Amino acid sequence: MMIRRRLFLSSVVAALPAAALLGYLVDRARAADLEVALERVVRSQINDQVRERCESDPTWFLTGPLDGRPPRGVYVETPDSIAPRPK
């Protein structure tokens, strides 16, 4: 009876940290996979023209091209322009 109790307790003591470590590793792998998937989706959705503007002037991405923007609600589409972003 005493041996079974000791075996049970030592098994629990060994299994709990192993389970916690395995859970942590699985969680980190899922987070890394989610980050890669999110980056791939964003890269596939971004417009080349927007990406070039953002890379050349990173503050443009935050503020947008404010000069020469038509009044709110009015948008005239031209072949090589992108839609103005709302403020």
Side-chain angles (χ1 to χ4, degrees):
M1 191 68 148
M2 188 66 146
I3 294 176
R4 287 184 186 169
R5 186 180 301 164
R6 284 183 185 174
L7 180 62
F8 175 74
L9 288 177
S10 62
S11 298
V12 168
V13 167
L16 288 178
L21 179 64
L22 183 63
Y24 174 76
L25 293 175
V26 167
D27 186 50
R28 292 304 309 152
R30 286 182 179 172
D33 185 43
L34 181 62
E35 183 178 343
V36 168
L38 181 62
E39 185 176 342
R40 286 181 182 166
V41 167
V42 169
R43 286 184 186 268
S44 70
Q45 297 294 321
I46 196 165
N47 188 338
D48 289 334
Q49 190 177 19
V50 173
R51 188 179 78 224
E52 287 174 6
R53 286 184 182 177
C54 181
E55 288 173 353
S56 66
D57 184 15
T59 58
W60 175 87
F61 187 74
L62 299 174
T63 60
L66 298 176
D67 298 333
R69 190 181 275 187
R72 180 172 226 155
V74 177
Y75 174 63
V76 179
E77 187 173 339
T78 59
D80 23 278
S81 69
I82 56 173
R85 299 177 347 155
K87 289 187 178 179

